Amino acid sequence: MDLRQLRYFIAVAEERSFTAAARRLNLSQPPLSQHIQSLEAALGTQLLYRTSRKVELTQAGEALLARARAIQQQIKLAEDEVHSIGAGLVGTLDIGATGSILRGRLADLLAAYRKDAPSVKMTVHEQAPALQIAALLNRTTNISLNRSIPTEHLLRSELAWSEEVVVAMQKTHPLARRKRIALGDLASEDQIILQPESSQFARYIQKCCVDAGFLPRVSQQVIDAQSVPSLIAAGFGVALVPQSIARFTTDEIVFRPIRPSPPSADVFLVFRKDETSMVVHNFIKLARRFLSQKRNSGYPAAARS
């Protein structure tokens, strides 16, 4: 018994006529009759009663018709499932990111992807940058959004979007009266900093301060920049943060651009070079298209007050 025989049998059983079934199958009647006879011989039982006027199903034929239809349905489901997986329309997607990056365009990108691929199970893992890279290499995540370009040769990165570093402070801080701030103006200020060992980006920000002629006066250290606004509100000092932190932040905190030469807080899309999942490739394609469209839309003004 093969799938072609089942398809022919279903046609005869539903049409109750070899002539009509042959027409439906675009087949001549003698070969169709031969296939049905071969099927009956293979099963060792009669499936149809043939008369001069019509065809009737035997009890065995009724049972086979129900099974054959179910088999066809399973084949169709298998074809649809395989096609969807191959096209990247279903599957899983694990993304590593810091909380501060989620405050930026990543949230908008994830919303666009959920609309584009609603059947993909997407999980966002809030991780420190170093853990994101380790998770990619261990294949526990598929994508990382990171403010540093990884050096591992197994990984590829490309610019997702550009950001500047801005100064965050209490609304009542004397520097808040300025429209822009030079990095050197922070030399005597208490600072909330990212832990230097937490990421390359944290070490880069510290180096920018050193290049401006001072070592930060550290009041608190955090792993993720999204923790900074609460500490600023509590009076622990000022902070150098990516400008996207300004989103969803209380009006008690203000943000001022750094001029001249603001440090960069660019975000990079990082993934494995040997990635084969179409789900991942589709996400990357959508990210390129979506972020290209949004590249000129900007963020809330850094001088927000």
Side-chain angles (χ1 to χ4, degrees):
M1 184 171 62
D2 59 38
L3 295 178
R4 183 174 58 175
Q5 288 176 330
L6 287 180
R7 183 163 62 90
Y8 290 172
F9 169 73
I10 291 172
V12 174
E14 290 179 345
E15 297 292 341
R16 292 296 200 268
S17 163
F18 277 87
T19 302
R23 189 182 308 116
R24 167 174 156 181
L25 295 166
N26 195 26
L27 186 71
S28 62
Q29 187 172 333
L32 176 59
S33 297
Q34 291 173 5
H35 281 293
I36 298 301
Q37 290 170 2
S38 296
L39 177 60
E40 290 178 320
L43 294 175
T45 188
Q46 186 176 0
L47 302 172
L48 304 167
Y49 291 121
R50 301 163 181 81
T51 69
S52 58
R53 300 181 60 185
K54 63 179 180 177
V55 173
E56 295 290 346
L57 291 172
T58 65
Q59 188 174 1
E62 292 283 2
L64 180 60
L65 178 60
R67 294 287 190 180
R69 283 170 170 166
I71 290 170
Q72 277 200 333
Q73 179 63 22
Q74 288 298 314
I75 291 171
K76 180 64 167 59
L77 291 173
E79 290 173 345
D80 291 345
E81 181 180 8
V82 170
H83 171 75
S84 295
I85 293 172
L89 301 176
V90 297
T92 60
L93 182 66
D94 290 88
I95 300 173
T98 61
S100 63
I101 289 177
L102 274 168
R103 285 175 175 258
R105 292 184 181 175
L106 178 56
D108 301 327
L109 172 59
L110 296 182
Y113 181 73
R114 284 180 63 86
K115 184 177 180 180
D116 195 65
S119 297
V120 172
K121 181 183 178 183
M122 181 169 52
T123 304
V124 179
H125 304 267
E126 192 172 349
Q127 300 169 313
L131 293 179
Q132 291 180 43
I133 300 305
L136 274 178
L137 294 172
N138 292 334
R139 298 183 178 272
T140 54
T141 61
N142 308 110
I143 296 284
S144 169
L145 277 296
N146 211 303
R147 296 192 190 276
S148 301
I149 298 175
T151 57
E152 288 78 1
H153 73 280
L154 296 176
L155 302 179
R156 177 181 171 185
S157 62
E158 54 188 68
L159 179 67
W161 65 85
S162 296
E163 284 189 50
E164 292 182 359
V165 170
V166 298
V167 183
M169 68 196 80
Q170 287 183 333
K171 190 175 184 178
T172 56
H173 194 286
L175 290 175
R177 293 194 291 269
R178 302 186 186 181
K179 291 184 178 180
R180 59 190 62 84
I181 297 172
L183 202 55
D185 294 337
L186 305 180
S188 60
E189 299 291 335
D190 289 338
Q191 277 197 50
I192 304 155
I193 70 166
L194 294 171
Q195 290 181 3
E197 63 273 16
S198 66
S199 68
Q200 293 181 36
F201 176 70
R203 293 188 289 274
Y204 162 71
I205 294 298
Q206 188 176 56
K207 183 179 182 300
C208 289
C209 293
V210 172
D211 291 345
F214 70 97
L215 278 172
R217 289 174 47 180
V218 179
S219 65
Q220 296 289 319
Q221 295 189 34
V222 297
I223 294 177
D224 192 337
Q226 71 168 344
S227 305
V228 168
S230 297
L231 294 173
I232 292 175
F236 284 97
V238 302
L240 295 168
V241 297
Q243 68 189 103
S244 56
I245 292 294
R247 299 182 79 183
F248 318 119
T249 302
T250 172
D251 286 339
E252 295 176 4
I253 309 298
V254 296
F255 301 84
R256 296 292 180 261
I258 297 170
R259 297 292 183 270
S261 304
S264 169
D266 293 348
V267 175
F268 297 89
L269 190 69
V270 185
F271 49 93
R272 290 183 294 273
K273 290 180 180 178
D274 65 351
E275 182 60 67
T276 59
S277 168
M278 282 304 301
V279 169
V280 178
H281 287 295
N282 285 351
F283 179 86
I284 294 169
K285 289 178 183 177
L286 181 139
R288 289 169 180 159
R289 184 173 68 251
F290 178 84
L291 295 171
S292 175
Q293 294 170 352
K294 298 294 183 180
R295 198 148 282 159
N296 297 320
S297 65
Y299 284 96
R304 168 184 167 181
S305 61

